Structure formats: structure tokens, C-alpha cells
Amino acid sequence: MSFQIGIVGLPNVGKSTLFNAITKSKVEAANYPFATIDPNVGVVAVPDERLAKLAELEKSEKIVPTSIEFVDIAGLVKGASQGEGLGNKFLSHIREVDAIMEVTRVFESKDIIHVNGNVDPKRDMETIAIELQLADLQTVEKRLPDVAKQAKGGDRESIVKKAVLEKYKHVLEAGHMANTVTLTDEEKEHSKDIQLLTQKPFLFVANDKFDLDTKTYLHNGTHCAPGEILIDAQLESELSELSDEDRAQYLEELGLKESGLHKIITAAYKTLGLITFITAGPKESKAWTCKAGSRAPQAAGKIHTDFEKGFIRAEVIQWDKLLEAGGYVQAREKGWLRVEGKEYVVQDGDVVHFRFAN
């Protein structure tokens, strides 16, 4: 399962530079607003050291990592909800993604203009939040009259949907995101067609300069919001040009534990509530992504719908225990290879072999 993360922010904050770095693409990253007009899409393999180790153990013919799609969306400006800049075109591109990664600019530069004349990360984040909230408020206000009319007729789904829209309207008018609203199971079921921008999960990235001499970020997170990921998009661009071995060595020299891409992927999985399970054998060692809390049949369905429909049982072992055992035969002899049924909740790092009826 591949999922999409939309990269958004004001013009000239480093979105396209970061996109190029993490996807190893070559899209335009220019010093003027709206250098990106149509969204660029790049597919990124999710780094997973477990796959290579399992492939070696199983003598797999190939390794197949799971992936993320990053979408570089044109810069948003104040008034976008009213059609300023690329306006509604920008907003329509955001509606398609699973999560939004908001990039703010922390670094100062005389050579790279700021659309508002000066660098102010807090103001920029507020601008983006307000525009997304206003766009959502327009969507809610447009739908409410028709739904309210249907609710008067006694239709239960419309009554519930009206209540949901009113909840959203209340929080949006108060300047909050729609994802702060708590819905009951019934409300979730009857409001699946209400697609709001601020319903989506958000990742926040601060683009600062990394000082190669002091081996620290210039602002060291002082302008970051809580939980914001601190990166240097230009440094990430340089790292993307290196081989895996050289990149690891350079990161060590800089005193960095991981690349910005790794930080973003880790945060994305956590924000979206995703885990990775693995299938490993002579043909291939492959990573699969599913929602945390998925039971074995639903995880099997990520491989093929027939696996879910005909699910019988799953043979399961954690990846490191399989390595420690030295293979499936040895793991079975040690009693480490478990047989699990339909109620088993798949865990991150599980190596699974599904049994199913045709």
C-alpha cells in the first residue's frame, strides 16, 4: 500500500528543494513564487534494514520495500481560499493526499526572497492554517442547507450528517482544525463523504540551515513548533547525491543520527498510524504497510483480496527472532513460529506466512 503526503507551504520556503532531495527528482526549485504550478509526484522506497537481513537469510531473489508518494504542491499565499495565487487549484491538489506535510522557513537569506518580505515561521503557519480553515468553512456552509433540508424529513443519515457539519462549522469559526473534532462511530459512518482539508493528519517541518562548522542548526529549533521536524533542505539535497555508504559516513561526520527523509518517514508512519509487516522467502523479501491494529485477515488483504476472503490462519514470528533461529525450520523446532487465527493483531516487524482457502 502506497500512501500520499502532500508537501505544502508558502512560496520559497524550500518545498521543491526538499521534494527533490527525498525523491531524488529534478523538478524546478526557483527563487520566485509559483515555480511549481502542477503538482510533482515522486515515489520513495521506505528504508528498512530488516528486509536486507531477511533476504540474506532466505537467499531471496529480490527485495521489495514498501513506498510513500510525495506530492510537491504549489506555494500557498494569503487569500488562497478566495482564489489568490493559484487559489482553488492549489486547494484541490491537497484534497487528494492522505496527510499534509507543512514546510515553514526558518533560515534567513538575502538571495532567496520571502513572499511576505521577512522570515516569520509563526506568521507563516498561521497563514496556512487560516486559509485551509476558511476553505473548509466554505465547504461546510455550502453543504449545510441541503443536508438540513433532508434532515427535516426525518432521514437518520441526514440528521447525523447535519450534526457533524455543525460541529465542524463551530470549530472552524473558532479558528481550529476539523481534525480536532471528536466523532462517534455513527457520525463517522454517516459522514465519510465529508472531505475537509483540515481533517487530514499534519506533519510539520522547519527548514533551517545546518552549520557545518559547529554541526548544529543555526536556530537550533528555537523557532519551531512543538513536534516539528527540523531539517536543512539544501543539506538533504546534497545527501541525496551520495551513495548509501557515503551518506551514512557523512551523517556520522556531521553528528546526525539520521537523514531528514528518515525523520519524515518515521513521523509519517506514526501520524498515520501505520506499521510494516514482512513476507520473506526464496522468491522475495517484501514489506507491506497496514494500519496499526489490523487483524490478520485485513493484513492478508493487503497482499491480495482472496487472502482475506479465504483466510484460515497465519504463521507469525518477529523478524529478529527468525534471524536468531536461523530460518523457519529452526524457528518451528524452537516453538518460536506461532500459528495465529482471525483475531490476531499484526505487529510491526512481524514476518507472516498466510494460509488461505481458494
Side-chain angles (χ1 to χ4, degrees):
M1 178 183 83
S2 181
F3 54 95
Q4 282 195 331
I5 296 178
I7 306 176
V8 305
L10 299 183
N12 296 346
V13 299
K15 298 186 316 303
S16 293
T17 300
L18 180 59
F19 174 84
N20 288 340
I22 60 182
T23 64
K24 298 185 180 180
S25 302
K26 297 294 180 184
V27 302
E28 186 171 13
N31 181 25
Y32 55 86
F34 312 120
T36 304
I37 297 177
D38 294 319
N40 301 294
V41 180
V43 180
V44 177
V46 175
D48 194 333
E49 63 176 11
R50 299 172 296 190
L51 281 179
K53 293 177 180 179
L54 289 168
E56 183 178 357
L57 176 71
E58 288 298 305
K59 297 179 173 56
S60 304
E61 293 177 13
K62 61 180 179 177
I63 297 174
V64 185
T66 189
S67 62
I68 301 176
E69 289 185 15
F70 285 93
V71 185
D72 182 25
I73 300 171
L76 180 148
V77 295
K78 185 176 181 180
S81 59
Q82 304 299 323
E84 292 295 324
L86 295 179
N88 293 328
K89 187 174 183 180
F90 167 92
L91 297 171
S92 69
H93 293 151
I94 302 178
R95 293 184 198 280
E96 306 300 320
V97 302
D98 298 299
I100 295 172
M101 186 170 81
E102 184 178 319
V103 181
T104 53
R105 174 176 164 180
V106 177
F107 70 91
E108 301 276 356
S109 174
K110 294 179 181 178
D111 299 322
I112 303 176
I113 61 173
H114 191 289
V115 69
N116 289 327
N118 68 305
V119 174
D120 186 338
K122 184 179 179 181
R123 176 203 58 207
D124 294 350
M125 291 182 77
E126 288 174 351
T127 296
I128 293 171
I130 289 169
E131 293 306 324
L132 297 182
Q133 290 162 13
L134 288 173
D136 279 348
L137 190 56
Q138 288 178 6
T139 299
V140 169
E141 290 177 338
K142 185 176 180 180
R143 293 200 62 179
L144 253 176
D146 288 340
V147 173
K149 185 177 181 180
Q150 293 166 357
K152 282 184 178 180
D155 178 64
R156 179 61 187 172
E157 182 175 342
S158 297
I159 292 170
V160 174
K161 191 174 294 185
K162 175 176 175 289
V164 172
L165 287 168
E166 287 173 342
K167 282 186 178 183
Y168 284 142
K169 186 172 186 291
H170 176 72
V171 298
L172 290 166
E173 286 179 335
H176 302 299
M177 299 291 203
N179 59 20
T180 61
V181 171
T182 301
L183 300 179
T184 66
D185 289 340
E186 184 184 22
E187 287 173 335
K188 289 176 184 176
E189 179 63 29
H190 293 314
S191 62
K192 290 178 180 178
D193 64 329
I194 301 174
Q195 297 294 320
L196 301 180
L197 302 171
T198 63
Q199 273 180 305
K200 299 180 183 297
F202 278 74
L203 302 173
F204 297 96
V205 173
N207 185 14
D208 197 4
K209 289 295 182 184
F210 187 83
D211 190 305
L212 299 180
D213 294 325
T214 63
K215 296 183 180 179
T216 58
Y217 288 95
L218 292 180
H219 295 88
N220 206 27
T222 53
H223 298 306
C224 293
E228 202 166 6
I229 304 166
L230 189 62
I231 58 99
D232 178 340
Q234 189 56 49
L235 175 61
E236 294 300 321
S237 182
E238 294 170 8
L239 286 168
S240 70
E241 300 293 332
L242 303 177
S243 66
D244 291 345
E245 185 177 340
D246 289 343
R247 187 183 308 114
Q249 183 178 342
Y250 192 29
L251 284 170
E252 186 176 348
E253 290 173 0
L254 295 174
L256 295 172
K257 294 181 180 180
E258 58 186 351
S259 68
L261 172 61
H262 195 275
K263 290 181 186 178
I264 290 166
I265 289 174
T266 301
Y269 267 70
K270 183 177 180 180
T271 300
L272 289 168
L274 302 174
I275 63 166
T276 299
F277 69 92
I278 301 165
T279 53
K283 184 178 180 181
E284 65 181 20
S285 286
K286 185 169 183 176
W288 304 86
T289 303
C290 68
K291 283 282 188 182
S294 294
R295 300 191 186 279
Q298 287 72 54
K302 297 298 178 183
I303 299 175
H304 198 287
T305 53
D306 288 346
F307 283 28
E308 182 174 1
K309 292 175 183 176
F311 178 88
I312 299 174
R313 65 182 183 274
E315 292 182 322
V316 184
I317 185 171
Q318 266 287 306
W319 72 280
D320 53 347
K321 296 300 287 184
L322 181 58
L323 289 177
E324 184 182 339
Y328 289 107
V329 173
Q330 297 91 325
R332 191 173 284 109
E333 290 173 350
K334 290 177 180 291
W336 293 354
L337 192 64
R338 310 186 312 276
V339 176
E340 302 286 359
K342 292 181 178 181
E343 297 304 310
Y344 177 69
V345 177
V346 176
Q347 303 298 307
D348 186 70
D350 273 350
V351 181
V352 189
H353 182 70
F354 295 106
R355 301 288 186 182
F356 67 102
N358 291 319

Coordinates of all heavy atoms in Angstrom, one line a residue, residues 237-273:
S237 N 19.5 17.7 0.1 CA 19.7 17.7 -1.4 C 21.1 17.1 -1.7 O 21.3 16.3 -2.6 CB 19.5 19.1 -2.0 OG 19.7 19.0 -3.4
E238 N 22.1 17.6 -0.9 CA 23.5 17.1 -1.1 C 23.6 15.6 -0.7 O 24.3 14.9 -1.4 CB 24.4 18.0 -0.2 CG 24.5 19.4 -0.7 CD 25.3 20.3 0.3 OE1 25.8 19.8 1.2 OE2 25.2 21.5 0.1
L239 N 22.9 15.3 0.4 CA 23.0 13.9 0.9 C 22.4 12.9 -0.2 O 22.8 11.8 -0.3 CB 22.2 13.7 2.2 CG 22.9 14.3 3.4 CD1 21.9 14.4 4.6 CD2 24.1 13.5 3.8
S240 N 21.3 13.4 -0.9 CA 20.6 12.6 -1.8 C 21.5 12.2 -3.0 O 21.3 11.2 -3.7 CB 19.4 13.2 -2.4 OG 19.7 14.3 -3.2
E241 N 22.6 13.0 -3.2 CA 23.5 12.7 -4.4 C 24.5 11.6 -4.0 O 25.3 11.1 -4.9 CB 24.2 14.0 -4.8 CG 23.3 15.1 -5.2 CD 22.6 14.8 -6.5 OE1 23.1 14.0 -7.3 OE2 21.5 15.3 -6.7
L242 N 24.6 11.2 -2.8 CA 25.7 10.3 -2.3 C 25.2 8.8 -2.3 O 24.0 8.6 -2.3 CB 26.1 10.6 -0.9 CG 26.6 12.1 -0.6 CD1 27.0 12.3 0.8 CD2 27.9 12.3 -1.5
S243 N 26.1 7.9 -2.4 CA 25.7 6.5 -2.2 C 25.3 6.2 -0.8 O 25.6 7.0 0.1 CB 27.0 5.6 -2.6 OG 28.0 5.8 -1.6
D244 N 24.7 5.1 -0.6 CA 24.2 4.8 0.8 C 25.3 4.8 1.8 O 25.2 5.3 2.9 CB 23.5 3.4 0.8 CG 22.2 3.4 0.0 OD1 21.7 4.5 -0.2 OD2 21.6 2.4 -0.3
E245 N 26.5 4.2 1.4 CA 27.6 4.1 2.3 C 28.2 5.5 2.6 O 28.5 5.8 3.7 CB 28.7 3.2 1.6 CG 29.9 2.9 2.5 CD 30.9 2.0 1.9 OE1 30.5 1.3 0.9 OE2 32.1 2.0 2.3
D246 N 28.4 6.3 1.5 CA 28.9 7.6 1.7 C 28.0 8.5 2.5 O 28.4 9.3 3.3 CB 29.2 8.3 0.4 CG 30.4 7.7 -0.3 OD1 31.2 7.0 0.3 OD2 30.5 7.9 -1.6
R247 N 26.7 8.3 2.3 CA 25.7 9.1 3.0 C 25.8 8.8 4.5 O 25.8 9.7 5.4 CB 24.3 8.8 2.5 CG 23.2 9.8 3.1 CD 21.8 9.4 2.6 NE 21.7 9.3 1.2 CZ 21.5 8.2 0.5 NH1 21.3 7.1 1.2 NH2 21.5 8.2 -0.8
A248 N 25.8 7.5 4.9 CA 25.9 7.1 6.3 C 27.2 7.7 6.9 O 27.2 8.1 8.1 CB 25.9 5.6 6.3
Q249 N 28.3 7.7 6.2 CA 29.6 8.2 6.7 C 29.5 9.7 6.9 O 29.9 10.2 7.9 CB 30.7 7.9 5.7 CG 32.1 8.3 6.2 CD 33.2 7.9 5.3 OE1 33.0 7.1 4.4 NE2 34.3 8.6 5.4
Y250 N 28.9 10.4 6.0 CA 28.8 11.9 6.1 C 27.9 12.2 7.2 O 28.2 13.2 8.0 CB 28.2 12.4 4.8 CG 28.3 13.9 4.6 CD1 29.3 14.6 5.3 CD2 27.4 14.6 3.9 CE1 29.4 16.0 5.2 CE2 27.5 16.0 3.7 CZ 28.5 16.7 4.4 OH 28.6 18.1 4.3
L251 N 26.8 11.5 7.4 CA 25.9 11.8 8.6 C 26.6 11.6 9.9 O 26.4 12.4 10.8 CB 24.7 10.9 8.5 CG 23.6 11.2 7.5 CD1 22.6 10.1 7.4 CD2 22.9 12.5 7.8
E252 N 27.4 10.6 9.9 CA 28.2 10.3 11.1 C 29.2 11.5 11.4 O 29.3 11.9 12.5 CB 29.0 9.0 11.0 CG 29.7 8.6 12.3 CD 30.3 7.2 12.2 OE1 30.1 6.5 11.2 OE2 31.1 6.9 13.1
E253 N 29.8 11.9 10.3 CA 30.8 13.1 10.5 C 30.1 14.3 11.0 O 30.6 15.1 11.7 CB 31.5 13.3 9.1 CG 32.4 12.2 8.7 CD 33.0 12.5 7.3 OE1 32.6 13.5 6.7 OE2 33.8 11.6 6.8
L254 N 28.8 14.5 10.5 CA 28.1 15.7 10.9 C 27.4 15.5 12.3 O 26.9 16.5 12.9 CB 26.9 16.0 9.9 CG 27.4 16.3 8.5 CD1 26.2 16.4 7.6 CD2 28.1 17.7 8.5
G255 N 27.5 14.3 12.9 CA 26.9 14.1 14.2 C 25.4 13.9 14.1 O 24.7 14.1 15.1
L256 N 24.9 13.6 12.9 CA 23.4 13.4 12.8 C 23.1 11.9 12.8 O 23.8 11.1 12.1 CB 23.0 14.0 11.5 CG 23.1 15.5 11.3 CD1 22.8 16.0 9.9 CD2 22.2 16.2 12.3
K257 N 22.1 11.6 13.6 CA 21.8 10.2 13.7 C 21.0 9.6 12.5 O 21.1 8.4 12.2 CB 20.9 10.0 15.0 CG 21.6 10.3 16.3 CD 20.7 10.1 17.5 CE 21.4 10.4 18.8 NZ 20.5 10.2 20.0
E258 N 20.3 10.5 11.8 CA 19.5 10.0 10.7 C 19.3 11.2 9.7 O 19.5 12.3 10.0 CB 18.2 9.4 11.2 CG 17.4 10.5 12.0 CD 16.1 9.8 12.5 OE1 15.8 8.7 12.2 OE2 15.4 10.5 13.3
S259 N 18.9 10.8 8.5 CA 18.6 11.8 7.5 C 17.3 12.4 7.7 O 16.4 11.9 8.5 CB 18.7 11.2 6.1 OG 17.6 10.3 5.9
G260 N 17.0 13.5 7.1 CA 15.7 14.2 7.1 C 14.6 13.3 6.6 O 13.5 13.2 7.1
L261 N 14.9 12.5 5.5 CA 13.9 11.6 5.0 C 13.5 10.6 6.0 O 12.3 10.3 6.1 CB 14.5 10.9 3.7 CG 13.7 9.8 3.1 CD1 12.3 10.3 2.7 CD2 14.4 9.1 2.0
H262 N 14.5 10.0 6.7 CA 14.2 9.0 7.7 C 13.3 9.6 8.8 O 12.3 9.0 9.3 CB 15.4 8.4 8.3 CG 15.2 7.2 9.1 ND1 14.8 7.2 10.4 CD2 15.3 5.9 8.7 CE1 14.7 5.9 10.8 NE2 15.0 5.1 9.8
K263 N 13.6 10.9 9.2 CA 12.8 11.6 10.2 C 11.3 11.7 9.8 O 10.4 11.5 10.5 CB 13.3 13.0 10.5 CG 14.7 13.0 11.3 CD 15.0 14.5 11.5 CE 16.4 14.7 12.1 NZ 16.7 16.1 12.2
I264 N 11.2 12.1 8.5 CA 9.9 12.3 7.9 C 9.1 11.0 7.8 O 7.9 11.0 8.2 CB 10.0 13.0 6.5 CG1 10.5 14.5 6.7 CG2 8.7 13.0 5.8 CD1 11.0 15.1 5.4
I265 N 9.7 10.0 7.3 CA 9.0 8.7 7.2 C 8.6 8.2 8.5 O 7.5 7.7 8.7 CB 9.9 7.7 6.5 CG1 10.1 8.0 5.0 CG2 9.4 6.3 6.6 CD1 11.1 7.2 4.2
T266 N 9.5 8.3 9.5 CA 9.1 7.8 10.9 C 7.9 8.6 11.4 O 7.0 8.0 12.0 CB 10.3 8.0 11.9 OG1 11.4 7.2 11.4 CG2 10.0 7.5 13.3
A267 N 7.9 9.9 11.2 CA 6.8 10.7 11.7 C 5.6 10.4 10.9 O 4.5 10.4 11.5 CB 7.2 12.2 11.6
A268 N 5.7 10.2 9.6 CA 4.5 9.9 8.8 C 3.8 8.6 9.2 O 2.6 8.6 9.4 CB 4.9 9.8 7.3
Y269 N 4.6 7.6 9.5 CA 4.0 6.3 9.9 C 3.3 6.5 11.3 O 2.2 6.0 11.5 CB 5.1 5.2 10.1 CG 5.3 4.4 8.8 CD1 5.8 5.0 7.7 CD2 4.9 3.1 8.8 CE1 6.0 4.2 6.5 CE2 5.1 2.3 7.6 CZ 5.6 2.9 6.5 OH 5.7 2.1 5.4
K270 N 3.9 7.3 12.2 CA 3.3 7.5 13.5 C 2.1 8.3 13.4 O 1.0 8.0 14.0 CB 4.3 8.2 14.4 CG 3.8 8.4 15.8 CD 4.9 9.1 16.7 CE 4.4 9.3 18.1 NZ 5.4 10.0 19.0
T271 N 2.1 9.4 12.5 CA 0.9 10.2 12.4 C -0.2 9.5 11.7 O -1.4 9.7 12.1 CB 1.3 11.5 11.5 OG1 2.4 12.2 12.2 CG2 0.2 12.4 11.3
L272 N 0.1 8.7 10.7 CA -1.0 8.0 10.0 C -1.4 6.7 10.7 O -2.3 6.0 10.2 CB -0.5 7.7 8.6 CG -0.5 8.9 7.7 CD1 0.2 8.6 6.4 CD2 -1.9 9.5 7.4
G273 N -0.7 6.3 11.8 CA -1.0 5.1 12.5 C -0.7 3.8 11.6 O -1.6 2.9 11.5

